[in-house]
Amino acid sequence: WLGKFKIGGVGFGPVTGSLLAGVLIGNFWHVPVSDTAKSLLFLMFMYGIGFSAGPGFVRGVRDGGWRWVALAVWMPVAGLMTTYALARLLHLDLGYAAGLMSGSLTESPVIGTASEAIRSLALSEEEKHRLIAQIPVADALTYVFGTFGVIFFCSYVGPLLLRIDVKAEAMALEKQMGFERQSPGIASAWRMFEMRAYELLEGSLVIGKTIEQVESMVADERIFVERVRRGSEIIEASPGLVLQQGDVVAAIGHHASLIRAVGDRNREVFDRPLLDVPSATFDVVLRNRKVAGKPLQQVRDETPDVRGVFVKGIRRGTEQIPVMPGTRLMVGDVLTLHGLEPAVRRVWPSLGELLPLGSTTNYMALGLAIFAGALLGVVVAFPAGGVKIALGSSVATLLVGLAMGWRNSTHPTFGALSADAAELMKSIGLAAFVAMIGLKAGPVFVQALQDIGLTVFLAGIVVTSVPLVTGLLFGRHVLGLNPILLLGALAGAQTMTAGLAALQERSESPVAVIGYSSTVAFGHVLLSIGGTVLVWMLA
């Protein structure tokens, strides 16, 4: 409820809202909190985020291009090192430093990974509780600017520093990639394909032409004649069939294209037996490496026998990617194919693996994976300063989730976790965890705010800004990335969807999501692990 409220379009969101609610209640009442329940909820969250980010993370390393990987690593590292430097300079305690990082970089999982790292240190229980209670204080102080800073930078400051007009740049990129607008503003990137019947009348431009010739008249827009009624006989279309006056043709494609190619000087008719053909819409996980990295139009031209099949949507991770001739496909993309059922069934095996309809959750795999992650976090340890520091159950569970998510993206029946289940684990897992952190921090929140409030707030502005500014300069002048895609990538590397939305609104274009999807998985993973690394460095 607290997270819903916004000022100037900027709000806390449900996770930070839950944290503040916990702090507020904990300040007035003592609420017992089960450490086991808190840990279990956070492990559920970490596995869910790892599973969701796994395909994008591994794909980015292997197939996404080194420039995107370089930027996606640069920004979390810049945020980590800036936090470390300020914590040393300002002599901040471990808890304040961790909260500074989580709030300024808007990555609340840092609260959990840093808390677990603090609990593994050789300190008294009282000191551990004191340091962990500091984390939500600094997080709450820095989160608002962490959110606002990314939104304002990606939509206003970044374009100003690059000296670009975001609308003009977006339109130029759309033109380069073959995106066609139907109306001003953000246009839908997919087309509703239809099957219609036309009677060929005297004077029709298509009479005497073969079906192959008719289809080539609007080759770029792709229409397909699937069946022909000649008298009382229904004929399945073949490329060499010559159309005659009086024929009734059933064609599939975008409506405007059908009118241009077939409907001109012909009469549309309703012929249910002719049109009564099963159509199919299947989701296919792209696995063919010969296709990966190529623009959609090139894939269409090179893939054998794709006649009658359309790409209706492309999903990369959780983001919908615009369907354009110049859109480059990547391994793990989910392609929504549409067309007549025989045609779709003929084509999808050459692209990848069919995504099962109504996917369910493999609870055995889910339970064993979280158990394995928790166990590895205790067993795996690294030497540091003469002592061994455990990897941590939360970080290990995140890494197991990454592996399971990637494997599932290439083999959809392996360790299945439905999208709704993953979303529930991520949302309730993190919100409940930070609420419990807030309940414990409530009694010391006000005093800590008075002691350190202004210092941490100003430090948060620096931690938010440094990765954005350096990432912009590095991405544009060293990596040579397209400015619109770069701005979207900055929002992704700092895991701020609102920054992407603001950029899309100002540019009146959806194309920035391509850059966002190239870095967001890295942001979630590296920043989450960064909470543990920060504590190790400062300790």
Side-chain angles (χ1 to χ4, degrees):
W1 180 74
L2 284 175
K4 287 194 308 181
F5 295 100
K6 295 182 178 180
I7 300 175
V10 179
F12 285 111
V15 173
T16 302
S18 299
L19 173 65
L20 293 176
V23 167
L24 183 64
I25 294 171
N27 187 57
F28 293 101
W29 296 282
H30 171 67
V31 181
V33 173
S34 165
D35 286 336
T36 302
K38 185 171 64 174
S39 297
L40 178 59
L41 284 164
F42 190 63
L43 291 181
M44 287 174 58
F45 165 77
M46 292 299 277
Y47 182 79
I49 200 170
F51 192 93
S52 301
F57 186 85
V58 178
R59 180 185 61 231
V61 171
R62 194 169 68 185
D63 305 315
W66 70 269
R67 294 185 300 166
W68 294 115
V69 175
L71 179 67
V73 172
W74 174 281
M75 292 189 63
V77 171
L80 171 65
M81 297 310 297
T82 304
T83 306
Y84 173 77
L86 286 174
R88 288 294 193 201
L89 179 66
L90 301 174
H91 305 289
L92 297 179
D93 285 345
L94 284 176
Y96 289 133
L100 172 64
M101 182 176 177
S102 67
S104 302
L105 303 178
T106 63
E107 186 66 7
S108 297
V110 171
I111 297 174
T113 56
S115 297
E116 186 178 27
I118 290 173
R119 281 195 294 269
S120 70
L121 299 177
L123 301 172
S124 67
E125 287 300 315
E126 182 181 351
E127 179 65 5
K128 290 178 185 179
H129 286 307
R130 185 184 75 84
L131 293 175
I132 292 173
Q134 293 173 351
I135 299 177
V137 179
D139 180 271
L141 283 166
T142 56
Y143 189 87
V144 172
F145 185 83
T147 302
F148 172 78
V150 177
I151 293 173
F152 191 68
F153 188 90
C154 291
S155 54
Y156 289 96
V157 178
L160 184 64
L161 292 176
L162 293 173
R163 299 179 182 178
I164 63 168
D165 181 330
V166 288
K167 291 183 183 179
E169 285 288 340
M171 193 164 293
L173 182 59
E174 287 181 7
K175 185 177 181 181
Q176 178 185 335
M177 298 184 71
F179 183 79
E180 293 185 4
R181 288 180 177 270
Q182 292 183 308
S183 59
I186 298 176
S188 174
W190 61 276
R191 301 288 184 264
M192 180 60 71
F193 304 109
E194 301 173 280
M195 191 168 183
R196 294 177 176 253
Y198 297 91
E199 181 183 358
L200 305 185
L201 304 178
E202 183 179 358
S204 171
L205 298 177
V206 301
I207 293 175
K209 289 184 170 61
T210 65
I211 288 178
E212 185 176 20
Q213 290 173 326
V214 172
E215 292 176 350
S216 66
M217 292 169 62
V218 282
D220 291 339
E221 298 178 75
R222 306 186 74 221
I223 68 157
F224 302 99
V225 177
E226 297 291 347
R227 309 175 92 193
V228 177
R229 177 186 290 281
R230 186 164 290 168
S232 60
E233 181 185 6
I234 294 180
I235 306 170
E236 297 298 329
S238 62
L241 179 66
V242 178
L243 298 178
Q244 302 175 5
Q245 182 178 336
D247 284 350
V248 179
V249 298
I252 187 172
H254 185 236
H255 191 198
S257 302
L258 291 175
I259 292 174
R260 282 194 290 273
V262 184
D264 185 39
R265 301 185 187 178
N266 297 306
R267 181 173 62 205
E268 184 173 1
V269 297
F270 177 73
D271 189 331
R272 179 165 182 171
L274 184 67
L275 296 172
D276 193 7
V277 184
S279 63
T281 301
F282 291 159
D283 286 340
V284 177
V285 181
L286 183 64
R287 292 182 58 191
N288 188 343
R289 299 200 171 281
K290 295 180 180 178
V291 170
K294 295 180 179 179
L296 186 60
Q297 183 169 5
Q298 184 180 347
V299 174
R300 183 195 75 188
D301 295 339
E302 294 179 355
T303 304
D305 206 13
V306 293
R307 183 181 179 280
V309 179
F310 304 87
V311 177
K312 192 176 181 181
I314 302 173
R315 190 173 77 247
R316 187 168 295 161
T318 59
E319 303 300 327
Q320 289 292 335
I321 303 299
V323 179
M324 299 180 284
T327 299
R328 292 187 179 275
L329 302 179
M330 300 179 70
V331 171
D333 283 352
V334 177
L335 309 179
T336 301
L337 304 182
H338 176 79
L340 299 187
E341 184 182 13
V344 177
R345 290 192 180 277
R346 181 185 69 241
V347 168
W348 74 254
S350 65
L351 297 174
E353 189 166 346
L354 195 65
L355 197 64
L357 295 175
S359 60
T360 57
T361 297
N362 185 331
Y363 290 100
M364 182 177 292
L366 171 63
L368 288 175
I370 293 178
F371 169 75
L375 186 61
L376 285 172
V378 176
V379 173
V380 178
F382 303 94
V387 297
K388 285 191 173 182
I389 300 179
L391 176 63
S393 295
S394 57
V395 173
T397 302
L398 173 67
L399 297 177
V400 171
L402 280 175
M404 294 288 286
W406 168 248
R407 180 66 175 171
N408 176 262
S409 73
T410 58
H411 297 79
T413 57
F414 177 85
L417 180 64
S418 72
D420 289 341
E423 203 56 43
L424 177 66
M425 290 168 61
K426 289 188 291 183
S427 57
I428 198 171
L430 185 58
F433 171 80
V434 298
M436 292 177 177
I437 290 284
L439 287 170
K440 284 196 169 185
V444 301
F445 187 86
V446 175
Q447 184 60 47
L449 204 62
Q450 294 172 348
D451 293 343
I452 202 78
L454 182 61
T455 300
V456 170
F457 176 77
L458 295 176
I461 295 176
V462 178
V463 174
T464 299
S465 303
V466 167
L468 290 169
V469 174
T470 61
L472 183 80
L473 298 174
F474 179 64
R476 185 59 181 154
H477 299 295
V478 178
L479 302 178
L481 296 171
N482 176 278
I484 290 294
L485 299 186
L486 171 59
L487 292 169
L490 297 182
Q494 293 205 196
T495 66
M496 179 46 60
T497 308
L500 169 67
L503 175 60
Q504 289 177 322
E505 182 179 359
R506 188 150 189 260
S507 65
E508 299 181 356
S509 169
V511 294
V513 73
I514 297 174
Y516 178 89
S517 67
S518 300
T519 59
V520 66
F522 287 86
H524 280 305
V525 173
L526 298 180
L527 288 174
S528 297
I529 296 174
T532 300
V533 176
L534 178 66
V535 172
W536 289 355
M537 293 169 65
L538 291 173

